[in-house]
Amino acid sequence: MTPKERVLAWIDNDRDELVQFLSSFVAVPSPNPPGDTRLAADFLLSQLRAKGVPIEIRAAKEHLPNVVGSFDGGRKGRHLVLNGHIDVFPAGPAETWSRDPWSGAVADNKVHGRGVADMKCGTSASIWTYIYLHRLREEIGGRLTLTCVSDEETGGTWGAKWLLDTFADEFRGDCMLNGEPSTPSMVRFGEKGTLRIVIEIDTPGAHAAYTHASPNAIRIAADIVRDLYELENLPVEQEASLRQAIEAGFAAIDAGVGAGASTILNKVTVSVGVIQGGVKINMLPGHCRLEVDIRLPIGMTHAFMLARVEAIIARNKPAKLTPVWTHSCEPTVSAPDHKMVGILKNTVQGLGLDRPASAVSLGASDCKHWRQHGVPSYIYGCRPINMAKPDEWVDVDEFLHIVRTHALAALAYLSA
């Protein structure tokens, strides 16, 4: 049997074990916030040690361990990094779910639970790719590295970013493959940027009848919100070939994540996520706080957008702007014609599915950290079914397809 045939046979033979692994992984809660992933990391560490692969913990903070490992092939070659995250969104109120959000239940050919799509499905694919290719290490070239990180949901400061900043030679690699939810019809080669800001308005305040005595902080905030949403009309400048590559993925984006997604992919979007102000109905509010998420299309920068936001603040005094840099990132992009893109597309087509389109992500991922280190980084993952909503699930056959695709793509990349 060829190495490819052996990998496919292993996955078929291990079907029940793979599904049980994902189910058990989901059943270990790792919500962020609060962000303590030690139990989930311990689960992964024990599972990987049982498979006899090199694995260890690297952590900048005790409650945010990163499960990592690496091995060399039988000859010189490329260095591929597999990346996934351990932390997941909070589950929210349990009564909004049809079953325990941490059940990991397997029912109706689905695995259910918080974080199964985002992204324990993809992280599991990375883990099993690492396990399977370790068995073939004498037959492949280069180096394969696994990074299962904490802290992605809150920006990656103590996960991917810390690993790359602290141990760049070990974890940078020549290419990175990630399994974030993206739908099997797409290979993601870039992602929009995020600029998160806090705006605070402070005025003296007064009795509600004495509107002459103080500006109303909430009214000022309302004017700021109105002006912020006007930013969505800003034009976007892009190099022609990049714009063409992005627009070529519009149909796939709409099909994968909902009609209308393509209309916001290449434009600024603004979301005022938090408004806090006022004490009592008959008190004129002296304080209001806004927390705002602004998404930047590829080609736009933080500096460009901050200049526009600061102009809005200047027109609406008194207001103070604070960028939240730990949760912000510039837009990032990798070459849409990189070898890994072709390998992923050929692999998916060879497994009997339609050839995926190249596309850009609406949301952010840890790919940004590798791209900022100059490493081409790509995403291929499951559908984002109820991601960040109650009753999140992943289809079992789709999960197994993601495992097959990652394992075969990694094999092809390291065998070239």
Side-chain angles (χ1 to χ4, degrees):
M1 296 175 70
T2 65
K4 177 179 176 180
E5 290 170 338
R6 288 158 69 188
V7 168
L8 290 173
W10 287 332
I11 294 172
D12 288 345
N13 291 336
D14 293 344
R15 177 188 176 95
D16 291 346
E17 184 179 1
L18 286 161
V19 174
Q20 184 56 54
F21 177 94
L22 178 58
S23 169
S24 299
F25 188 15
V26 173
V28 183
S30 52
N32 188 6
D36 190 329
T37 60
R38 282 177 287 191
L39 291 178
D42 287 346
F43 167 79
L44 296 184
L45 199 63
S46 65
Q47 295 286 315
L48 284 157
R49 282 176 173 166
K51 295 295 182 182
V53 298
I55 203 71
E56 62 177 304
I57 294 288
R58 299 278 182 94
K61 293 183 178 292
E62 183 181 357
H63 69 291
L64 296 171
N66 303 296
V67 180
V68 301
S70 194
F71 63 84
D72 291 318
R75 61 184 185 278
K76 291 183 179 180
R78 304 163 175 156
H79 182 185
L80 177 64
V81 179
L82 307 171
N83 169 254
H85 61 84
I86 304 170
D87 57 326
V88 302
F89 283 118
E95 60 269 19
T96 62
W97 288 70
S98 301
R99 50 172 54 84
D100 179 353
W102 306 109
S103 68
V106 181
D108 304 320
N109 203 47
K110 301 170 184 174
V111 181
H112 300 262
R114 170 55 80 227
V116 66
D118 184 17
M119 64 165 296
K120 290 184 176 180
C121 168
T123 302
S124 296
S126 295
I127 288 166
W128 283 91
T129 294
Y130 186 71
I131 291 168
Y132 290 138
L133 266 63
H134 184 258
R135 298 176 188 174
L136 298 169
R137 59 192 179 278
E138 295 303 322
E139 301 175 55
I140 61 176
R143 186 170 184 82
L144 185 63
T145 294
L146 175 69
T147 58
C148 302
V149 298
S150 298
D151 194 35
E152 191 275 344
E153 297 292 0
T154 44
T157 301
W158 305 112
K161 185 178 187 303
W162 177 75
L163 287 175
L164 287 164
D165 289 348
T166 311
F167 310 102
D169 290 343
E170 292 182 62
F171 297 112
R172 186 170 50 229
D174 298 311
C175 180
M176 191 272 269
L177 178 59
N178 178 290
E180 284 274 13
S182 59
T183 80
S185 63
M186 284 179 277
V187 175
R188 305 282 183 93
F189 66 92
E191 57 195 47
K192 295 181 75 172
T194 304
L195 176 61
R196 289 176 178 152
I197 58 175
V198 172
I199 299 170
E200 295 188 84
I201 303 100
D202 286 292
T203 65
H207 189 287
Y210 291 15
T211 57
H212 65 288
S214 172
N216 184 315
I218 290 178
R219 182 171 181 175
I220 295 171
D223 290 341
I224 291 173
V225 168
R226 178 201 62 214
D227 290 350
L228 287 173
Y229 276 100
E230 288 298 316
L231 297 173
E232 295 187 332
N233 298 319
L234 287 169
V236 179
E237 295 184 7
Q238 290 170 334
E239 191 270 328
S241 62
L242 177 59
R243 180 179 289 275
Q244 184 178 9
I246 293 170
E247 291 178 351
F250 278 4
I253 283 284
D254 280 344
V257 298
S262 64
T263 65
I264 61 172
L265 184 63
N266 231 14
K267 64 176 290 187
V268 175
T269 60
V270 176
S271 174
V272 179
V274 176
I275 300 177
Q276 297 171 326
V279 177
K280 192 171 181 282
I281 192 170
N282 62 339
M283 292 175 64
L284 190 150
H287 178 79
C288 190
R289 174 186 171 93
L290 305 174
E291 297 183 15
V292 186
D293 181 295
I294 304 173
R295 301 290 167 134
L296 312 180
I298 291 171
M300 195 170 281
T301 66
H302 282 165
F304 174 89
M305 183 55 64
L306 274 175
R308 272 84 193 152
V309 173
E310 286 167 350
I312 292 171
I313 298 300
R315 294 196 302 268
N316 292 279
K317 296 179 179 179
K320 182 178 73 173
L321 169 68
T322 306
V324 186
W325 293 122
T326 56
H327 291 71
S328 298
C329 60
E330 299 277 10
T332 62
V333 65
S334 298
D337 58 352
H338 187 270
K339 291 180 184 294
M340 180 56 81
V341 176
I343 287 172
L344 286 165
K345 291 183 176 185
N346 291 339
T347 299
V348 172
Q349 197 169 19
L351 290 170
L353 273 67
D354 291 338
R355 192 172 181 83
S358 299
V360 166
S361 297
L362 292 170
S365 74
D366 273 337
C367 286
K368 61 181 178 283
H369 297 300
W370 270 269
R371 292 185 186 125
Q372 287 165 352
H373 278 259
V375 181
S377 303
Y378 301 95
I379 292 175
Y380 187 79
C382 65
R383 291 172 293 163
I385 304 295
N386 288 349
M387 183 176 71
K389 298 180 181 179
D391 294 336
E392 186 176 350
W393 57 268
V394 163
D395 180 84
V396 166
D397 293 324
E398 188 165 287
F399 163 56
L400 295 172
H401 168 73
I402 302 303
V403 176
R404 291 187 185 97
T405 300
H406 278 237
L408 294 182
L411 175 63
Y413 183 79
L414 296 174
S415 296

